Amino acid sequence: MSAELICINGECRARFPVTEVIYNCPRCGALLEVDYPGRELNPEAAKRLFRERRMDNAPLNQSGVWRYRELIGFLDDYRQVVTLREGNTPLLASPRAARYGGLDRLAFKHQGFNPTGSFKDNGMTCGVAQALRLGMKRVACVSTGNTSASMTAYAAAAGLRPVIFIPHGNISYGKLAQALEYGARTLQVEANFDQILALVRKLAEQLGIYLLNSINPFRIEGQKSIAIEMMDQRDWNPPDWIVLPGGNLGNISALGKALRELVDLGFIPRLPKLAVIQATGAAPFYRFMQDPRPDNFEPEREPETLATAIRIGAPVSWPKAWREVAASGGAVEQVSEEEIADAKAQIGAAGIGCEPASAATLAGIRKLTATGVIDQGADVVAVLTGNLLKDPDYVYRYHTGQLKTAAGHEIHGHFENRPEVVPNDPEKIAVLLAD
Ligand code: F0G
């Protein structure tokens, strides 16, 4: 199968070989994506093949990304692929979370079950495969934490040298700990994500380091598998809505591209609507979508949210995200710190759990059902992007009434669950536990 890079700008549409090391269109500067000219697949045969591969022990077929390789076929040789068995994440129905969100039913596609605990692994196995194909020795990213944890793991497994740039003081220890353990050269920069991305893009070019942020179109190809696997798990019946948190807007771009391709190839009958939820303090895409015009995108200069994963003010993939939300007839919402914190506690109380950014989905659903954008009876899947254990500090503070915003504003959670200190005295404990 032949693959090419194509500029997403409708007036440019320049094409380049997939082996060129470029992240933006050299002609007009717009974003690039992978295109498969003339690709044709027999959907029924492919669906059967994907099912058979689930029962196969070959590493590539055990991967919830590479199992679907005909739909992400930018490589022509798979021998160098490094898989940590990414993907294979469950769809978990939760009546309790559905009630909280104002729905009759709701399922979570839980990407926190990935090898490094976030959805980044789906894309990173592809990004690192491309780095190997290009003969790169070092890979780099700026990250709010999950990208750096994932990139470092895959780079380490592939024998590449990872360099990560993170906003000093603004990533959770769970994520930083992973990167240190997997062996990243770790630079904590005194700047925010957006400022560091500008810096890293210059440095990557100057030093010949391969950039693995979500601007990298091969990572987006890998993240498509989140939607592909979701459809496979639903026997190729699309839901009415898919809801996900938005930060740098790479994931919405990936899911939207996957779903459009699945419709075009005849795998699914229609596009689900896509909803993106942002934190109020880091919601430039939400504001843009109130009056979307190409020259109207205003970055948030000082993004602020305790959901540090999505603390991003200048999301690079906004033009792709706009295209996908518009194509699906979807929606964009913003939610407060308190709404995120409470929704997160509800997802936890359902026995599922996730990190703060992921919980923006349920908080957003609650708002979108209240305003009638999503019907109570709709079939909805929310993507939980990261594992509960990514940010235990946040969890502890919430449940002990100590969660505060950067400006010192206290968050009054409605579902606190305080630990109790008790004497080493069975009688007193028995009194406490008498129901
Ligand atoms: N949820 C989590 C847990 C994330 O880590 C991120 C992004 C997002 C949602 C938003 O996804 O950027 O594709 O819109 N984390 C990046 C990182 C920025 O560096 O780990 P997006």
Side-chain angles (χ1 to χ4, degrees):
M1 194 194 313
S2 70
E4 293 176 350
L5 287 169
I6 184 168
C7 173
I8 69 158
N9 173 0
E11 282 156 28
C12 176
R13 299 302 272 174
R15 289 177 177 270
F16 307 92
V18 273
T19 45
E20 221 161 284
V21 185
I22 44 175
Y23 310 100
N24 285 92
C25 176
R27 284 208 209 143
C28 76
L31 297 167
L32 297 169
E33 65 185 355
V34 182
D35 187 41
Y36 303 98
R39 174 175 58 173
E40 271 183 46
L41 283 172
N42 175 334
E44 292 318 310
K47 289 175 188 178
R48 263 197 314 278
L49 179 64
F50 299 155
R51 280 293 161 93
E52 279 160 20
R53 284 179 180 161
R54 276 206 214 175
M55 291 178 286
D56 191 291
N57 281 331
L60 231 51
N61 292 342
Q62 285 191 350
S63 161
V65 175
W66 298 105
R67 179 182 304 137
Y68 304 105
R69 53 192 172 273
E70 285 75 10
L71 295 170
I72 49 174
F74 64 87
L75 289 178
D76 30 46
D77 179 355
Y78 291 93
R79 278 173 299 182
Q80 277 189 302
V81 168
V82 172
T83 170
L84 297 172
R85 310 302 188 270
E86 54 289 323
N88 298 308
T89 61
L91 256 185
L92 304 169
S94 173
R96 178 187 179 122
R99 267 196 307 281
Y100 185 77
L103 292 169
D104 296 337
R105 58 192 164 146
L106 171 64
F108 292 113
K109 174 74 174 152
H110 205 326
Q111 295 303 113
F113 282 63
N114 260 300
T116 78
S118 85
F119 71 100
K120 305 290 181 181
D121 295 341
N122 291 66
M124 210 50 83
T125 185
C126 290
V128 164
Q130 179 69 5
L132 291 169
R133 167 204 224 169
L134 296 170
M136 294 289 178
K137 300 284 176 256
R138 279 195 292 182
V139 289
C141 66
V142 52
S143 178
T144 55
N146 281 323
T147 300
S148 52
S150 180
M151 186 194 81
T152 306
Y154 281 86
L160 296 170
R161 284 153 56 208
V163 188
I164 66 167
F165 297 78
I166 52 179
H168 186 41
N170 270 307
I171 87 166
S172 74
Y173 274 119
K175 299 172 190 177
L176 177 56
Q178 286 181 289
L180 296 177
E181 186 86 353
Y182 298 136
R185 180 90 188 264
T186 302
L187 306 179
Q188 309 193 72
V189 188
E190 297 195 314
N192 68 29
F193 179 93
D194 309 305
Q195 296 159 329
I196 306 172
L197 182 56
L199 173 117
V200 172
R201 289 183 65 164
K202 267 195 219 123
L203 278 172
E205 195 167 339
Q206 189 184 330
L207 302 174
I209 305 178
Y210 194 54
L211 191 59
L212 279 174
N213 275 101
S214 59
I215 193 167
N216 183 310
F218 302 97
R219 267 198 49 204
I220 298 296
E221 285 306 288
Q223 282 174 216
K224 281 183 354 192
S225 63
I226 300 167
I228 299 169
E229 186 180 68
M230 185 197 296
M231 294 305 126
D232 188 0
Q233 286 165 316
R234 294 175 51 98
D235 297 322
W236 307 94
N237 294 311
D240 299 318
W241 285 89
I242 298 176
V243 184
L244 61 163
N248 215 15
L249 302 175
N251 210 27
I252 173 71
S253 308
L255 268 68
K257 182 172 192 273
L259 294 161
R260 280 188 295 108
E261 290 179 354
L262 288 175
V263 170
D264 289 347
L265 291 165
F267 280 66
I268 56 172
R270 61 185 167 78
L271 279 183
K273 291 181 192 292
L274 296 171
V276 179
I277 318 297
Q278 297 208 290
T280 308
F285 187 54
Y286 168 78
R287 281 199 304 276
F288 169 76
M289 290 299 284
Q290 305 310 300
D291 179 20
R293 279 180 282 124
D295 54 355
N296 214 20
F297 196 90
E298 278 288 328
E300 168 67 60
R301 302 237 168 267
E302 291 185 16
E304 209 46 89
T305 170
L306 294 175
T308 50
I310 49 173
R311 190 172 175 272
I312 293 176
V316 284
S317 291
W318 72 263
K320 287 185 180 178
W322 179 20
R323 180 180 68 180
E324 303 307 346
V325 172
S328 78
V332 183
E333 186 51 276
Q334 62 173 355
V335 288
S336 71
E337 294 298 305
E338 191 176 292
E339 287 169 324
I340 294 175
D342 278 343
K344 188 174 117 58
Q346 285 293 311
I347 296 168
I352 291 173
C354 64
E355 69 161 285
S358 311
T361 53
L362 182 59
I365 288 169
R366 192 171 156 92
K367 278 182 100 165
L368 292 170
T369 52
T371 50
V373 176
I374 300 183
D375 288 340
Q376 181 185 334
D379 179 359
V380 183
V381 179
V383 180
L384 298 181
T385 43
N387 193 284
L388 167 68
L389 292 174
K390 286 283 190 174
D391 196 351
D393 197 52
Y394 180 109
V395 185
Y396 182 76
R397 283 176 205 262
Y398 176 87
H399 286 293
T400 54
Q402 300 176 65
L403 197 60
K404 281 190 194 148
T405 65
H409 170 73
E410 278 179 28
I411 291 169
H412 299 289
H414 294 90
F415 310 107
E416 264 181 40
N417 180 23
R418 280 178 197 256
E420 299 162 67
V421 180
V422 295
N424 183 8
D425 179 337
E427 280 172 28
K428 287 197 174 134
I429 295 176
V431 172
L432 269 176
L433 293 182
D435 245 345

